[in-house]
Amino acid sequence: MPENGKPIVTILFPEQHEQAAVALGRAFIHDPAFKAILPDITEPVARAEHLANLFRAQLGVQRRTGQPVFGAVYDGRVVAAAVTEGVGHSGMFGLIAAGLPQLPRLVRGVGWGGMIRAMNIVNVLAKHHPKEPHLYLQTLGVDPDFQGKGYGKALLARLALEARVRPEIAGVYLETGTEANVAFYSSNGYEVLGELYPIGVKQWRMYQRKRQG
């Protein structure tokens, strides 16, 4: 349950990653980039199930590389998650190496074609990070049943705190593919740095610079 009316945000342990994957799969059923990765799966429930496998693989890579995952919990269940990276962002080679154990799950989730499209997106995005040390928000999603209730905002506040307590970190960086999300992140202190079009899908680059003092 929310604590004092506020969502509870916590580090997620590996045994909670299954719930996070399901929540993320449901959160991204209408996202343009994921629609491009899974162009032949148009039914929302089926797309959510396939995307959950993609996120299971992503979370498996997180466990392997030791990168943190944050979650918002309601009534003991993960209903929103933020998949993050610290300063040492993996290059494409490192990402592939870390992801090899997850290859069967990836193929089940998005197929060979979808996997290639996903890697092309990741490759383009990885080349356009800010040069200064930053935290990277790979993925943030809220289960549709809990959207608009402060869970996403609570996760962003936790990431802002993580940046604030580390003097070497300049801010938090992300990409998003929907205008509604641009407005949401802008209202939480992020600014648009520019746009990219990996595999023809528009992505806004956004950055929240750390407040001084």
Side-chain angles (χ1 to χ4, degrees), residues 87 89 129-135 168-171 207 209-210:
V87 176
H89 310 300
H129 280 226
K131 301 301 182 185
E132 56 200 22
H134 61 276
L135 303 182
E168 76 278 16
I169 295 294
Y207 196 35
R209 288 182 171 83
K210 187 167 61 177

Side-chain angles (χ1 to χ4, degrees), residues 61 65 67 85-100 119 121-129 136 138:
V61 173
T65 58
Q67 299 284 6
E85 282 188 4
V87 176
H89 310 300
S90 300
M92 181 55 66
F93 179 80
L95 185 63
I96 291 173
L100 282 177
M119 289 177 61
I121 291 175
V122 170
N123 190 39
V124 171
L125 297 180
K127 294 176 180 178
H128 292 86
H129 280 226
Y136 177 41
Q138 291 183 16

Side-chain angles (χ1 to χ4, degrees), residues 94-118:
L95 185 63
I96 291 173
L100 282 177
Q102 300 298 324
L103 187 60
R105 179 170 281 161
L106 270 173
V107 174
R108 286 197 303 273
V110 301
W112 286 105
M115 190 173 68
I116 292 170
R117 288 187 289 272

Side-chain angles (χ1 to χ4, degrees), residues 39-197:
D40 299 325
I41 302 176
T42 58
E43 202 280 319
V45 173
R47 190 184 302 126
E49 292 173 351
H50 281 265
L51 289 176
N53 259 336
L54 185 151
F55 289 118
R56 288 181 184 105
Q58 183 186 33
L59 294 168
V61 173
Q62 292 293 105
R63 291 194 295 275
R64 186 177 176 87
T65 58
Q67 299 284 6
V69 181
F70 299 93
V73 177
Y74 177 84
D75 200 19
R77 179 166 68 93
V78 178
V79 299
V83 183
T84 64
E85 282 188 4
V87 176
H89 310 300
S90 300
M92 181 55 66
F93 179 80
L95 185 63
I96 291 173
L100 282 177
Q102 300 298 324
L103 187 60
R105 179 170 281 161
L106 270 173
V107 174
R108 286 197 303 273
V110 301
W112 286 105
M115 190 173 68
I116 292 170
R117 288 187 289 272
M119 289 177 61
N120 285 338
I121 291 175
V122 170
N123 190 39
V124 171
L125 297 180
K127 294 176 180 178
H128 292 86
H129 280 226
K131 301 301 182 185
E132 56 200 22
H134 61 276
L135 303 182
Y136 177 41
L137 177 52
Q138 291 183 16
T139 307
L140 187 151
V142 180
D143 185 289
D145 291 343
F146 293 86
Q147 291 176 5
K149 299 180 179 180
Y151 288 89
K153 183 176 182 178
L155 285 167
L156 292 183
R158 175 61 185 264
L159 293 181
L161 173 63
E162 296 294 329
R164 192 161 65 246
V165 300
R166 295 179 56 182
E168 76 278 16
I169 295 294
V172 183
Y173 173 74
L174 59 86
E175 304 99 3
T176 186
T178 64
E179 288 195 42
N181 283 346
V182 172
F184 166 70
Y185 288 120
S186 296
S187 70
N188 283 278
Y190 286 76
E191 62 176 311
V192 175
L193 298 183
E195 300 170 4
L196 297 171
Y197 291 83

Side-chain angles (χ1 to χ4, degrees), residues 4-17:
N4 298 323
K6 297 180 179 179
I8 299 171
V9 174
T10 181
I11 289 280
L12 295 183
F13 287 86
E15 59 266 27
Q16 295 171 294
H17 285 186

